[in-house]
Amino acid sequence: MENTQSNTTPPLYLVNETDGMELVLMPGGWFQMGAVARDPGAGYREKPGHLHYVAPFYMGITCVTVQQFEKFVEETKYEGGQYPGSDDDWNERWGYWQRDDPDHPVRYVNWEDAVAYCEWAGLHLPTEPEWEYCARGYDGLVYPWGDDWEGGRRVCLVRLKGPAGSTVPVYAHPEGASPLGTFQQAGNLWEWCADRFDSNAYKRYVQGDFSLPKDGRIALRGGSWSSGESVDFRGGNRRNDYQGYRVGLRGFRVAKAIVS
């Protein structure tokens, strides 16, 4: 689909032509990012809580699926590669994620794989602020559905794994959708973000400097099927890892800029 022009109203929903990803419009604006008083699980990496601004954009309703990633691999002849800090073998990992059903989120992909997919699809990985805004809404919900953990019944986690003992289809658990219409921003898989991780970034953000970190590991958000503690599934929870690592607990979702 062509970029939305400044003299038109962006559609609320669109399908990306290259990979078929469904995306929903995020109006953007100021939202509560980081620690909130009603969230006792907030750690030091989420402090201080602050108002943060994000421009309007589109967010993938779900994570990228096995079927979508396989199309990317077939069309580009993608073979992965070896990256600093990683001893992962692409062919071995390829065999792992191919075992999952087509409508499950693709996993065993590292950050470089996710970036390559986005370049092919004409999309980008969401930044941490974009991801958190979609997961928590404007007032900083503790979980995508609200402030009550509810025993974890709304997510794919240790006690509610898929039939293969791990992930579930990307449209499972609709009761856990975020207020902005995205699925599984808690549970199923940890999701790679676009930006580097800085544990002290919020101290700069609260001063009005919203520039993204340029060095360090890559930010991860969301919690996975193997997580057992409610704190892992909080919308403000921040993790990170090396960009080259491929493990079965990580996947990604995509975003799309609105170009005027």
Side-chain angles (χ1 to χ4, degrees):
M1 180 173 290
E2 293 182 358
N3 291 327
T4 302
Q5 300 301 312
S6 59
N7 62 346
T8 63
T9 301
L12 298 178
Y13 163 90
L14 59 81
V15 178
N16 191 55
E17 290 184 356
T18 303
D19 63 350
M21 174 58 69
E22 296 179 284
L23 302 111
V24 63
L25 176 66
M26 298 294 148
W30 294 92
F31 74 101
Q32 180 65 46
M33 186 175 185
V36 293
R38 62 185 187 280
D39 182 8
Y44 76 95
R45 296 173 171 177
E46 303 163 45
K47 298 178 180 179
H50 60 282
L51 286 176
H52 204 103
Y53 179 81
V54 292
F57 66 103
Y58 286 96
M59 185 68 142
I61 296 176
T62 70
C63 280
V64 171
T65 65
V66 169
Q67 183 177 33
Q68 289 167 324
F69 197 83
E70 190 164 33
K71 179 182 179 183
F72 153 68
V73 171
E74 290 176 351
E75 290 191 3
T76 64
K77 310 303 180 185
Y78 186 72
E79 296 182 352
Q82 299 298 318
Y83 302 104
S86 172
D87 58 0
D88 290 333
D89 178 78
W90 167 251
N91 291 324
E92 179 183 8
R93 299 302 184 184
W94 162 274
Y96 285 162
W97 66 255
Q98 280 189 315
R99 298 172 190 171
D100 292 333
D101 290 336
D103 61 347
H104 282 231
V106 66
R107 53 195 182 123
Y108 293 104
V109 289
N110 64 25
W111 185 75
E112 301 282 357
D113 301 330
V115 169
Y117 177 96
C118 288
E119 291 175 351
W120 165 76
L123 303 168
H124 68 267
L125 292 175
T127 64
E128 273 201 278
E130 288 175 337
W131 193 99
E132 186 169 333
Y133 160 62
C134 295
R136 305 181 72 188
Y138 286 96
D139 59 350
L141 296 174
V142 178
Y143 306 100
W145 58 87
D147 293 337
D148 188 347
W149 172 234
E150 300 183 22
R153 69 177 183 85
R154 296 177 181 259
V155 301
C156 175
L157 76 171
V158 171
R159 296 184 301 280
L160 295 171
K161 295 178 183 178
S166 54
T167 60
V168 295
V170 294
Y171 277 110
H173 292 295
E175 69 277 10
S178 77
L180 291 170
T182 51
F183 280 52
Q184 296 176 4
Q185 286 200 259
N188 226 9
L189 291 178
W190 288 100
E191 300 177 22
W192 292 110
C193 291
D195 33 329
R196 303 284 171 171
F197 181 86
D198 178 359
S199 60
N200 295 310
Y202 289 21
K203 294 179 181 178
R204 186 178 75 256
Y205 293 162
V206 77
Q207 300 298 322
D209 178 3
F210 295 156
S211 58
L212 298 175
K214 295 180 174 58
D215 299 304
R217 300 182 185 183
I218 306 299
L220 287 161
R221 292 297 195 111
S224 80
W225 54 267
S226 72
S227 301
E229 301 296 329
S230 60
V231 67
D232 289 338
F233 302 97
R234 295 167 37 261
N237 188 30
R238 306 177 67 209
R239 296 288 182 90
N240 67 92
D241 206 346
Y242 295 105
Q243 68 187 57
Y245 282 3
R246 297 185 179 102
V247 297
L249 310 180
R250 294 176 196 150
F252 66 102
R253 77 178 61 224
V254 294
K256 182 179 179 67
I258 297 176
V259 180
S260 58

